[in-house]
Amino acid sequence: MSIFEYNGSAVVAMVGKNCFAIASDRRLGVQLQTIATDFQRIFKIHDKLFIALSGLATDAQTLYQRLVFRHKLYQLREERDMKPETFASLVSALLYEKRFGPYFCQPVIAGLGDGDKPFICTMDCLGAKELAKDFVVSGTASESLYGACEAMFKPDMEPEELFETISQALQSSVDRDCLSGWGGHVYVVTPTEVTERILKGRMD
Amino acid sequence: MSSSLDLPPKGEFSFDLCRRNAMLESKGLKAPTFLKTGTTIVGLVFQDGVILGADTRATEGPIVADKNCEKIHYMAPNIYCCGAGTAADTEAVTDMVSSQLQLHRYHTGRESRVVTALTLLKKHLFNYQGHVSAALVLGGVDITGPHLHTIYPHGSTDTLPFATMGSGSLAAMSVFESKYKESLSRDEGIQLVVEAISAGIFNDLGSGSNVDVCVITKGHKDYLRNHLLPNPRTYVNPKGFTFPKKTEVLSTKITPLKEVEVIEGDAMEIA
């Protein structure tokens, strides 16, 4: 079994019209046993920047704590929030520092940049950035997620339609993956509000 | 407080998770695959300078992770570098040497030379004995003329009139070997590079999507991103996806974002 399959995860982020959505599953497992069905994988860095960490849960939590620490220092020095592109470079540098003994996490970063332009990117566990204009996926269900998003994605979707699309893509992909699922957690972020929804899914 | 505090060590690799990772592997948990750029990258010297070309597919095992990634990295205004191998390594090493070249330019007040970039890259790669898995095609035009080099992950280099690297290098090299000649014109050169990359895209499974080209001449460069798009998506459903059965939502929480108000204060008075 791969280290990434120890806990199981599924994360996806999509770009819409002046908004973005980021979604994850809620299962925390130890190989084939489920130990939590309300695990938090998506973390807020600041109002318009979210990061979701798939992979080994302990590394995800440790990496999140380090990132919050670095962002708070940045806020104190610069007296403003970090831009998503800058944050992505920070995450990439932190991961590449551990090139020969990496954190087993694949982050998905989503935020609203200058002029509230949506920004999404993902990285492998060494910090190789992959910027995309449409969607990014990560986790044990990533192969199904690639297929589902490729088929369901349309450019310039409004927040309601974006929510429906990302939820359907997430649910249909995790239903085909034993290691992720048990509901869904979706954040849809527009320049004026953040909508957080918990989805009802198959609990198997 | 232990020294595992998060203040960044100055630019070095940190090995503190290696023991834990080795323990996990001994327990049977296999290490993950990294993002690789399967790749076809090429370069050739033509009469006025150097032309570099690359495909745009990034793979993670057998899956295509990125259909349009950038493999031609900026090193200096007159030097560009194509990278194949582990994506994190090619990006990190080219970024690092690009910064070092900029500092060197400030120090010397002169345009960077291709051999400077070459030496900085090969020193770093040899230092890590091939574990930094970056195979590069470095090309540029400086005061001494046009130069094209290949750099292997273990640190060896070659200086060539035309070069290919990556999993698609054999397909691309076959095109170069049959059609290359000295003193090609700009258009002939671009045509040849596009043919070589296309050979890689269509015949090698690790390469795909589009062709990027970069033409560097004395005092000028042309970065032709997505110069050719031979693989458009032809199966787009004009009606799009409709979901008859809506997603069931258990709970919703809406947080309005506060508008940040910048209040202009009074100007300070120094009496």
Side-chain angles (χ1 to χ4, degrees):
Chain A
M1 198 183 234
S2 149
I3 287 178
F4 273 112
E5 292 167 10
Y6 188 75
N7 292 127
S9 51
V11 174
V12 56
M14 276 192 190
V15 165
K17 197 177 168 110
N18 294 330
C19 63
F20 67 85
I22 186 165
S24 78
D25 72 319
R26 306 187 80 208
R27 176 182 180 270
L28 176 71
V30 169
Q31 295 187 315
L32 295 175
Q33 184 187 42
T34 306
I35 53 177
T37 58
D38 57 356
F39 190 63
Q40 173 92 334
R41 266 190 189 96
I42 304 179
F43 303 104
K44 187 177 96 157
I45 302 290
H46 63 75
D47 278 337
K48 292 182 181 175
L49 180 59
F50 286 76
I51 181 167
L53 294 156
S54 69
L56 198 63
T58 172
D59 279 351
Q61 290 184 330
T62 305
L63 194 62
Y64 163 66
Q65 286 166 3
R66 295 185 120 199
L67 289 168
V68 157
F69 171 71
R70 296 291 291 267
H71 184 251
K72 283 184 178 172
L73 277 182
Y74 184 92
Q75 274 178 324
L76 287 171
R77 273 199 300 262
E78 302 261 332
E79 293 181 0
R80 64 178 177 89
D81 290 329
M82 224 187 235
K83 285 192 221 167
E85 294 85 357
T86 316
F87 186 70
S89 292
L90 171 68
V91 180
S92 178
L94 272 182
L95 291 172
Y96 194 71
E97 225 176 22
K98 305 264 188 276
R99 163 68 173 91
F100 298 116
Y103 285 117
F104 297 118
C105 280
Q106 283 170 327
V108 165
I109 297 163
L112 291 174
D114 278 336
D116 288 331
K117 189 162 176 296
F119 170 88
I120 51 170
C121 96
T122 185
M123 287 167 214
D124 72 342
C125 63
L126 295 182
K129 268 186 290 198
E130 200 194 295
L131 309 164
K133 297 203 174 55
D134 41 15
F135 58 86
V136 290
V137 306
S138 172
T140 48
S142 62
E143 293 177 27
S144 306
L145 277 165
Y146 274 126
C149 292
E150 192 73 56
M152 297 180 191
F153 179 80
K154 277 198 311 268
D156 287 330
M157 283 187 277
E158 295 293 329
E160 284 309 311
E161 202 189 347
L162 184 67
F163 164 71
E164 195 57 47
T165 308
I166 201 176
S167 308
Q168 292 277 352
L170 180 73
Q171 297 282 47
S172 50
S173 304
V174 304
D175 285 349
R176 281 286 183 177
D177 176 31
C178 308
L179 297 164
S180 48
W182 272 266
H185 203 158
V186 186
Y187 287 82
V188 179
V189 180
T190 64
T192 50
E193 64 182 15
V194 173
T195 313
E196 178 191 341
R197 290 187 182 93
I198 312 273
L199 306 176
K200 182 173 148 101
R202 284 173 66 133
M203 305 299 267
D204 63 354
Chain B
M1 282 290 159
S2 69
S3 64
S4 59
L5 228 278
D6 195 32
L7 290 172
K10 298 296 175 189
E12 294 285 314
F13 285 128
S14 118
F15 295 95
D16 53 352
L17 289 179
C18 284
R19 228 190 201 170
R20 176 203 72 157
N21 292 358
M23 182 274 290
L24 285 170
E25 254 197 81
S26 70
K27 296 266 167 82
L29 293 170
K30 288 190 288 293
T33 52
F34 308 133
L35 192 76
K36 282 186 164 305
T37 51
T39 306
T40 309
I41 46 174
V42 305
L44 63 71
V45 176
F46 72 111
Q47 68 187 22
D48 300 323
V50 161
I51 306 180
L52 300 173
D55 75 306
T56 61
R57 174 181 283 183
T59 53
E60 202 160 0
I63 308 291
V64 176
D66 195 349
K67 291 186 286 187
N68 204 2
C69 71
E70 276 188 42
K71 298 185 191 179
I72 306 186
H73 308 283
Y74 168 89
M75 299 287 265
N78 57 326
I79 307 174
Y80 274 73
C81 185
C82 307
T86 302
D89 288 332
T90 57
E91 274 181 39
V93 102
T94 49
D95 271 348
M96 183 189 82
V97 171
S98 171
S99 309
Q100 287 178 341
L101 284 176
Q102 173 120 60
L103 287 172
H104 193 250
R105 278 202 292 285
Y106 286 136
H107 227 69
T108 57
R110 289 181 172 77
E111 193 185 55
S112 296
R113 299 193 187 192
V114 183
V115 286
T116 317
L118 181 72
T119 310
L120 290 167
L121 286 164
K122 75 186 320 192
K123 265 185 75 172
H124 181 82
L125 292 175
F126 180 74
N127 203 15
Y128 288 96
Q129 288 289 290
H131 290 286
V132 174
S133 173
L136 309 165
V137 169
L138 175 73
V141 179
D142 57 31
I143 195 79
T144 54
H147 297 277
L148 180 70
H149 304 280
T150 53
I151 308 162
Y152 289 82
H154 286 262
S156 62
T157 59
D158 287 311
T159 307
L160 299 160
F162 57 92
T164 66
M165 294 281 260
S167 56
S169 62
L170 270 65
M173 190 50 102
S174 64
V175 172
F176 273 173
E177 285 287 5
S178 38
K179 295 187 182 171
Y180 180 81
K181 54 185 204 293
E182 307 259 294
S183 299
L184 288 160
S185 74
R186 182 200 157 98
D187 287 329
E188 285 174 338
I190 293 179
Q191 178 61 29
L192 189 56
V193 161
V194 164
E195 264 187 63
I197 299 287
S198 303
I201 287 174
F202 292 116
N203 297 300
D204 172 44
L205 300 178
S207 317
S209 296
N210 320 111
V211 181
D212 283 350
V213 175
C214 186
V215 184
I216 311 171
T217 53
K218 195 170 166 62
H220 184 69
K221 64 142 198 322
D222 256 322
Y223 186 28
L224 306 165
R225 168 86 170 134
N226 288 356
H227 176 67
L228 191 70
L229 294 114
N231 293 303
R233 193 172 159 189
T234 50
Y235 50 89
V236 185
N237 182 354
K239 284 184 294 205
F241 248 82
T242 48
F243 303 111
K245 199 165 173 227
K246 292 225 160 294
T247 324
E248 277 187 72
V249 177
L250 288 173
S251 74
T252 309
K253 186 171 105 169
I254 304 181
T255 319
L257 291 179
K258 295 183 286 287
E259 274 297 312
V260 177
E261 253 194 69
V262 179
I263 305 168
E264 288 285 326
D266 292 327
M268 191 168 77
E269 283 189 26
I270 306 172

